[in-house]
Structure formats: structure tokens, C-alpha cells
Amino acid sequence: MQTKRLTELALLATIALTIFMVESKIPNPIPLPGVKLGLANIVTVYAVYRFRPKEVILLLTTRIILGAVFGGNMMALLYSAAGGALCLLGMLPLHRLIPEKALWISSILGAVFHNIGQMTAAILVMKSLGVAMYFPFLLVSGCCAGYFTGLCAQFLLQRKPHMMNPAQTLAER
């Protein structure tokens, strides 16, 4: 991997981790466990359309592990890993089918896969199918969050050329 690419991935992991930590300090307006906006996923969705699959896996794994360590919640590691893995398994093939202009669709489907992964982990940990009754609430909130994060990632991808070379952008104006 080139140094420039590795540096960009490290910066994205840092941004995602920072967003994750800030979001964890904000009180949740919806008092259901596991329901949150998931703003750090903006970085993941962006990376799916910008980097190779192995690089995206590295980025997400780094964020999940460091988020659990810095957040002090190692149990969250299991749920995040299960959700993140299933999300990537769904989104990586989808990004070939869904263009950047409709990235939000890919993000919503990724959120659905993420919720399925988290629910599977919860059923295995709690050894009860009763927790599955909670799935519809997660699904609705996940689709809303996926739509929002997808729109944000789509905006970043559209702005990427302007962000990377502002001198050229000024010359073009």
C-alpha cells in the first residue's frame, strides 16, 4: 500500500473515531438501546466508494476496535463487529451496482445489513429469540440513519475533487 493511501486511511480512521467518540457523549433522544445516528458510518460509506475492499475492511476494523477501547465498552465490540462485517458484505458488492449519485440507497441497505448483524449477535449473546421483537425498531431507525449518512457520504464524494486541490478549484472558477 502506498504511503499516501495509508495516510489517507489513517486520517479517515481518526475522523471516524473522533465522530464516534463525540456522538457517544451526546444524550440519545430516542431511549432505545442501540438506536443512534451512527455518524461515523459516513466515513465507512465514503470509503466503500473510494477505496479497495481490503482497505475499507482495515479502516472499519480499526475504528471498531479503537472505538470499543476508547469508549470503554468491550461488549459493544461484538455488536459493532457483527454489524460492520455484515454491512460490508452487503455494501461492497452493491457499490458496483449502485452509482455514486444514488449512494444513499447503498447506505440504507448497508444499515439494514448492519442491523441484521447486530440482532444476530444479540440473539446469540442473550440466547433468546425474544430480543428479535426489538428488530423492527432498529430497522426503522437504521434506515433513517442510513439515509442521512448516505447523503452525507454522497456529498463528500461529490466535493472530493474540490477538497483535494483547492488551488485548481479556484483557477477553474
Side-chain angles (χ1 to χ4, degrees):
M1 187 180 317
Q2 295 175 341
T3 305
K4 180 180 178 184
R5 204 151 175 90
L6 183 61
T7 303
E8 191 173 355
L9 283 168
L11 287 171
L12 287 174
T14 303
I15 291 166
L17 183 60
T18 302
I19 293 170
F20 175 81
M21 294 304 297
V22 168
E23 186 179 10
S24 73
K25 302 301 179 200
I26 299 170
N28 194 349
I30 301 171
L32 296 173
V35 174
K36 64 179 192 168
L37 197 50
L39 296 175
N41 293 324
I42 295 169
V43 175
T44 304
V45 175
Y46 168 84
V48 165
Y49 278 79
R50 174 84 171 80
F51 293 96
R52 291 182 216 112
K54 288 181 183 179
E55 295 168 336
V56 179
I57 292 168
L58 177 66
L59 171 67
L60 183 63
T61 303
T62 301
R63 191 213 6 124
I64 288 172
I65 292 171
L66 291 177
V69 170
F70 291 145
N73 188 354
M74 293 311 286
M75 193 60 186
L77 178 65
L78 175 66
Y79 295 106
S80 294
L86 208 56
C87 176
L88 282 185
L89 282 174
M91 281 190 69
L92 288 172
L94 282 174
H95 94 278
R96 293 187 189 102
L97 303 172
I98 299 173
E100 284 182 22
K101 292 179 181 179
L103 182 145
W104 58 272
I105 296 170
S106 180
S107 181
I108 291 171
L109 293 171
V112 169
F113 288 122
H114 190 275
N115 287 335
I116 292 170
Q118 283 185 317
M119 187 54 60
T120 302
I123 290 170
L124 293 174
V125 167
M126 296 179 190
K127 298 178 182 156
S128 169
L129 286 175
V131 74
M133 291 173 44
Y134 181 58
F135 185 65
F137 300 106
L138 276 180
L139 198 58
V140 170
S141 69
C143 287
C144 293
Y147 177 68
F148 179 74
T149 57
L151 286 178
C152 291
Q154 186 173 324
F155 174 77
L156 288 174
L157 278 170
Q158 291 169 349
R159 297 290 303 160
K160 177 79 167 100
H162 304 293
M163 291 187 304
M164 294 307 288
N165 194 350
Q168 182 181 9
T169 305
L170 291 174
E172 291 172 358
R173 293 180 189 171

